[in-house]
Amino acid sequence: MSNFEGKSVIVTGGSGGMGKATAEAFAEAGARVVVADISDAGDAVADDIRKGGGTAVFQRVDVADDASAEAMVQRAVDEFGTLDHAVNMAAIEGETERLADLDVETFDRIIAINLRSVFLCMKYEIRAMLAGGSGGAIVNIASTNSFRPQPHQSGYTASKHGVIGLTRSAAIDYAGDGIRINAICPGAIDTPMLRNAMNQRGRAESEVVSRLSLVGRFGRPDEIAKAALWLCSDDSSFTVGHALAVDGGYLAR
């Protein structure tokens, strides 16, 4: 894996789960990290990185808000001079109803946080990378739902289909500028969001694992982090507009 010494990265949703693992992985690889999250728990993540000898700052952000997303990117540029990489991980889930029973407010919130946020973050991340003149790499977090919907997740599924569309469109627009844009489609990764979804639906771990994984376990957040580092590294220099499934073989069935 390429060394990220001297490189800067924004990780949204960086306070926990896959985002925390990704922020920590970039810091361990030498990157200077903006841990961005609406939760102040991200401050502790940045503090732990600094205590471990890394470089990190916390930026509170509402990724669905235009001005907040712009301020997040500006913080990275102000702190580190340039923006080289970004991993847009912030997302929510939580539906338990079929489409006709889903209220408009819940649908709009899911679309705002999962899809509008990717547009807004990329808008300002790309501008910063263009201004820096050295290109960059962006990774957006989609889902296996982008290709195979689960029951009672119409809003979430719509948002994650949209992430793939935004990723591919932006990749086409900016590949010529040296900015590579790709997506990761996580499967069943052992995070608080997955555990909460299982509890809401009354699903046992054994049932979920047997249905969503070919390898007999949930994925680990660090396995998503490693995929994000690869997609941002020079080792993936010919990978553009790709949706990488990290799903224990779920989509292969």
Side-chain angles (χ1 to χ4, degrees):
M1 196 79 72
S2 297
N3 190 300
F4 288 89
E5 291 286 345
K7 302 295 186 180
S8 61
V9 60
I10 290 171
V11 180
T12 70
S15 71
M18 296 184 296
K20 177 176 182 288
T22 300
E24 292 171 342
F26 270 102
E28 288 171 10
R32 300 168 295 176
V33 184
V34 175
V35 180
D37 205 294
I38 199 167
S39 168
D40 288 338
D43 198 18
V45 175
D47 189 49
D48 286 343
I49 288 172
R50 292 191 296 269
K51 287 177 180 176
T55 302
V57 296
F58 169 64
Q59 176 71 20
R60 191 177 189 280
V61 63
D62 177 354
V63 289
D65 179 78
D66 185 31
S68 189
E70 183 178 18
M72 173 189 70
V73 174
Q74 189 60 51
R75 176 75 185 282
V77 174
D78 290 344
E79 290 282 344
F80 305 132
T82 61
L83 177 64
D84 302 293
H85 309 292
V87 184
N88 298 314
M89 284 208 167
I92 60 170
E93 195 270 339
E95 300 159 86
T96 57
E97 307 89 0
R98 294 188 297 172
L99 186 148
D101 300 315
L102 180 64
D103 62 85
V104 172
E105 292 78 12
T106 299
F107 179 85
D108 286 347
R109 182 167 181 262
I110 290 169
I111 295 298
I113 296 174
N114 292 4
L115 181 58
R116 173 184 165 90
S117 72
V118 174
F119 161 71
L120 290 175
C121 290
M122 281 204 295
K123 175 180 178 179
Y124 295 110
E125 291 159 358
I126 290 167
R127 287 183 179 181
M129 290 175 183
L130 291 172
S134 298
I138 297 172
V139 176
N140 299 318
I141 301 303
S143 170
T144 51
N145 272 47
S146 300
F147 301 98
R148 185 179 297 174
Q150 296 294 314
H152 302 167
Q153 291 186 331
S154 55
Y156 182 80
T157 297
S159 71
K160 293 302 185 177
H161 270 71
V163 170
I164 297 293
L166 280 177
T167 298
R168 289 174 172 165
S169 295
I172 291 168
D173 284 347
Y174 294 101
D177 297 292
I179 300 173
R180 294 187 302 106
I181 303 172
N182 293 286
I184 295 173
C185 299
I189 308 300
D190 197 355
T191 63
M193 191 165 83
L194 174 65
R195 295 288 177 175
N196 289 337
M198 289 165 55
N199 290 336
Q200 281 183 318
R201 294 165 174 81
R203 301 276 173 79
E205 180 174 333
S206 58
E207 183 269 327
V208 176
V209 168
S210 66
R211 186 166 54 84
L212 299 183
S213 172
L214 297 185
V215 299
R217 65 171 176 85
F218 289 140
R220 301 187 308 270
D222 70 280
E223 291 173 308
I224 301 300
K226 290 171 183 175
L229 261 68
W230 180 74
L231 286 171
C232 286
S233 76
D234 292 339
D235 293 341
S236 65
S237 57
F238 204 56
T239 304
V240 179
H242 181 61
L244 176 64
V246 183
D247 65 352
Y250 170 66
L251 290 178
R253 290 188 175 181

